[in-house]
Amino acid sequence: MTARPATRTLFAATGTALASLALTACGSGASNTGAASDESTPLAHVHGLGVDPADERVYVATHNGVHTVTKGEEPKLVGESKDDFMGFTVTGDNTFVAGGHGAPGSDRPGNVGLIETTDAGRTWTSRSLSGEADFHSLDSAKGIVYGYEGGRIRVSSDLKSWDDRARLEALDLAVSPNGDRLLATTAEGVVNSTDGGRTFAKGAEPVQALLSWPSEKSLFGIDPSGKLSRSEDGGTTWKQLAAVPGGQPQALTAVNSDHILAATQTGVYESRDGGKTFTELAPLAS
């Protein structure tokens, strides 16, 4: 698919803050991580959400490090890293991959490339493209990682070598659980690829800002105003569920068809009933 200049214009019209968060870098610098931190810090600029299958803890990737959140408790910084985590996804027990920017004054480069943790965020290791790539969206299925970086789809099976595929202007990616389809959110609607991101069909409305695809019949999308919808046919048709509190979305992850996490302008919210209702896990700093 060929990107069109109207993409930024449309997303700006429907969600200026979202476009700014998703399409521009937040910072530069670097950091190493160490032991788990007890530091409580307010959350702001959320870029990713995930649940570690090893212990079902909720992780929040932000402009200032990765945090854990538990309802009724203060968010806790994981490790010592205060890097700007942009793209972020959970790939297995205690295992996450991410992209973004090193914190000022640290030893990570402005663009960290693809980094990985195997101890639930306490320490991070550079896997590839250090100093080169700035992943703003990451997803995985069947051992394959799909990234959106520099206006293109990039795919890796080993986190070291990357196959560059289609160029397009998008906000978010979602790969089907069996790995046979890749979706991206654009100004023209959700675009669909059946060849691993090499080509995309024409966009289909409604326009969604963020996607998450935990099971074949449960694809979730949130639009630029914060309205959550579900598709049971891979994005051909959608049923609107509820408006997540807080308006414009910053991140969306569906753990399964019932358990959904969303970050908006006011907080991190959780649904345990398939997106019908949401409760606040943690507020976001203004």
Side-chain angles (χ1 to χ4, degrees), residues 10-265:
L10 187 146
F11 275 116
T14 54
T16 302
L18 174 63
S20 175
L21 285 169
L23 291 174
T24 61
C26 280
S28 61
S31 173
N32 278 329
T33 55
S37 169
D38 290 328
E39 181 180 350
S40 296
T41 56
L43 299 177
H45 295 282
V46 174
H47 301 307
L49 297 163
V51 170
D52 187 346
D55 59 11
E56 298 189 349
R57 296 182 74 184
V58 176
Y59 289 79
V60 183
T62 78
H63 178 70
N64 294 298
V66 174
H67 300 72
T68 58
V69 296
T70 302
K71 188 174 181 179
E73 299 180 10
E74 293 292 324
K76 295 290 193 301
L77 179 69
V78 179
E80 297 176 354
S81 172
K82 293 187 178 181
D83 292 344
D84 181 6
F85 287 82
M86 296 293 294
F88 174 88
T89 193
V90 174
T91 56
D93 288 357
N94 300 315
T95 306
F96 321 146
V97 294
H101 315 288
S106 62
D107 61 0
R108 289 202 194 275
N111 291 332
V112 301
L114 197 285
I115 57 177
E116 182 184 38
T117 177
T118 57
D119 56 11
R122 291 175 178 83
T123 61
W124 292 86
T125 301
S126 175
R127 297 302 305 272
S128 56
L129 303 175
S130 179
E132 302 174 27
D134 176 18
F135 287 99
H136 277 214
S137 181
L138 291 162
D139 202 1
S140 68
K142 302 295 184 181
I144 308 296
V145 172
Y146 298 81
Y148 180 69
E149 191 275 328
R152 59 189 164 180
I153 304 297
R154 309 189 76 172
V155 181
S156 179
S157 60
D158 60 6
L159 305 185
K160 298 178 182 178
S161 58
W162 294 84
D163 183 18
D164 292 347
R165 300 184 180 176
R167 285 192 171 274
L168 71 164
E169 198 161 355
L171 285 178
D172 196 28
L173 300 180
V175 61
S176 62
N178 66 13
D180 65 342
R181 293 177 62 194
L182 181 68
L183 304 181
T185 58
T186 76
E188 292 141 346
V190 178
V191 296
N192 174 45
S193 174
T194 57
D195 58 8
R198 293 175 179 87
T199 61
F200 285 85
K202 184 179 179 180
E205 293 186 344
V207 170
Q208 304 286 2
L210 306 170
L211 301 170
S212 188
W213 203 343
S215 64
E216 287 298 327
K217 291 188 176 295
S218 296
L219 166 65
F220 293 91
I222 190 168
D223 73 12
S225 69
K227 295 184 179 67
L228 183 74
S229 296
R230 175 176 170 171
S231 175
E232 297 183 354
D233 53 17
T236 301
T237 60
W238 294 86
K239 178 182 179 181
Q240 193 170 112
L241 299 172
V244 181
Q248 295 173 357
Q250 297 187 8
L252 174 71
T253 292
V255 183
N256 53 47
S257 58
D258 294 317
H259 188 192
I260 302 162
L261 302 169
T264 65
Q265 300 299 298

